[in-house]
Structure formats: structure tokens, C-alpha cells
Amino acid sequence: MKQKVIFGPAGSPVDYKGAAYKAPKYISEEGLDSYEYQSPYGVRIGESSASTLKEESEKHDVLISMHAPYYINLCAKEESKLDKSIDHLIAAARAGEWMGAYRLVFHPGAYLNRKPEKAMEISRNTINRLFEELESEGIEEFTFAPETTGKRTQLGNIREVVELCASFDHFEPTIDFAHIHARGRGFLNKKEDYNCIFSTIENQLNIDILHCHFTTIEYGKGGEIKHHTLDENDYGPNIDDLLSNLIDNGWNANIICETPLRDIDSLKMKKKYEEMI
């Protein structure tokens, strides 16, 4: 990597008009270094397009991650929904292998009015089934990245995500700081508020590069409501606090911007970072 913290958009840049799998050239020319390819409503990219994405990303030195479908729930109550969740993750792993995605981001699921401990137990069983099917499919190059979730009814607080990643090989966390902020009803208000997040990760995981999501966010009693841009000052968290923590603690990180102005705000984050180092 060119620097310890790199930046890129969640999805194609705002003004980009081409095919998503050809976006790395545009992203690189903007001055960004990473790109999270989006498959929220099903994995629809074929091997040819995914291979082109890999070639383009390597040519333009853009680090690729992939967001798997939203429909995944590792702890669903119905067996059919667990089966479909496994199918979605297998499809993401297959496409991710084609495109050279270093992380496969997904939302772990929802408690569905059960105790978190029970939801975690079912999730671990589902992951074991997933690994068995991946082996039978011959898929080997994958790193799943469960994401911290933004609603209090969802599986995926920082402790749960780190626990899943500590329990399985081929698992690394996606730390969505906005989701943590919203889930905690405005938890991240100053630099020191990040300490418990980083200490939880450091105490249980050995990470070369921390995969992150960032946006300012609107929240309510139940957590996440809406993403906002960096310039909408009524909303947190503050990107300066995160960057300061990453710099002070020597973290390697890839920050994927999820604001409505994903590449534009990503460039603003990068500018702030370069002014701070």
C-alpha cells in the first residue's frame, strides 16, 4: 500500500457513468486507492466481468472488497432462510475469488426476539455448514468480513463481530463506525470514545489491515436511520477523531466511504488524513 490508511467509495463514484467492474481506473485517477463493489440485492456479476474488475484493479493499484447481499441472516429461524444465506455467501465467495476481493463484507443477521447468545450459537453452526459447502465447491480464496450493525435488533455489535472473527479462520471484521455510533445512540463523540473499540479488536485479533466503513449518520431509539454527508455537521461521528486514533496507534486501515457522496467525501477524508500525518 502507498500509505497506512487508504480510502475509497462504497460502490461506483457518484459521477461515474461506466460499468461498475471497470471503475478502478476512474477511482485511481480521482486519487483514491480502494473500491467496495456492491452486490446488495444478489450476486449478479459473472466470471468474465469479475475477472476484468480484477485486471483493472491490479493495473490501477486499487484494493477491491465486495459487499455481499443484504438478505443474509446467519441465525434465521427457518432452515430455508439459513440455506439461502449460505447460498448468498457462497455466491459472494465465488465472485470474490474471480475479482480478487480481499474482503467479503456482509451483515450477520438479526436476533429475532431471541437472546444474543442463542443467535450467536446458531450463527456459529451456520458458518460451520458454510465452510463445508465451500470446501465441496472448491472455493479457497476468501475472507469473510462480518460488519458491525447499526440497529439494536441486529446481531453485530463490536463484541459479537470480534467473537465471530476470533472463532473462525478466513474471518476478519468490518468495523462500521457509523453503525457503532448509531447503535450506541451517539456513542462516538470524542477521540477517547474509540478506545474501547480498538482495545476489543487488539485483545482478540491479529489484523494486518483493518477494513472500515465510515459515514455521518442519523439515529433514533432503535439505532441507524439515515446516512449523511461529511458536510452535514449536525450528525456524527467526526472523521477527525477516527483518523487521529488510527495515526496515533499505527493502524493500517482501508476506510470505505458510505456517505451519499461516497467518492467525493472519500477524497475529503484522504485530504484530512494527509494533513494530519
Side-chain angles (χ1 to χ4, degrees), residues 38-104:
Q38 304 289 294
S39 293
Y41 305 113
V43 178
R44 297 169 183 169
I45 189 169
E47 184 173 4
S48 177
S49 296
S51 297
T52 298
L53 174 55
K54 182 178 182 180
E55 292 168 6
E56 289 292 300
S57 68
E58 291 174 348
K59 185 190 302 182
H60 298 288
D61 196 21
V62 171
L63 184 63
I64 298 296
S65 54
M66 177 184 182
H67 202 303
Y70 292 153
Y71 311 122
I72 292 161
N73 187 351
L74 296 178
C75 50
K77 291 183 176 180
E78 298 91 343
E79 194 70 21
S80 61
K81 290 185 178 179
L82 291 175
D83 291 342
K84 287 180 180 177
S85 294
I86 290 171
D87 288 344
H88 284 307
L89 288 168
I90 289 172
R94 184 180 292 111
E97 193 171 63
W98 291 334
M99 70 176 66
Y102 92 115
R103 295 286 187 275
L104 303 169

Side-chain angles (χ1 to χ4, degrees), residues 160-231:
E160 290 164 341
V161 166
V162 169
E163 182 180 331
L164 283 176
C165 293
S167 300
F168 295 97
D169 293 335
H170 300 282
F171 263 59
E172 299 276 2
T174 297
I175 306 301
D176 190 313
F177 292 98
H179 283 170
I180 293 172
H181 183 69
R183 189 176 183 126
R185 299 170 182 161
F187 170 66
L188 299 173
N189 293 305
K190 58 186 183 296
K191 179 181 174 181
E192 291 72 25
D193 293 336
Y194 288 80
N195 292 344
C196 65
I197 299 171
F198 288 112
S199 61
T200 300
I201 298 166
E202 285 180 328
N203 289 341
Q204 297 190 55
L205 302 174
N206 182 19
I207 295 175
D208 291 331
I209 176 171
L210 185 66
H211 192 74
C212 313
H213 287 174
F214 192 90
T215 179
T216 51
I217 197 165
E218 182 178 349
Y219 62 87
K221 184 178 179 181
E224 174 186 14
I225 294 176
K226 183 181 178 181
H227 290 193
H228 289 271
T229 68
L230 290 188
D231 288 341

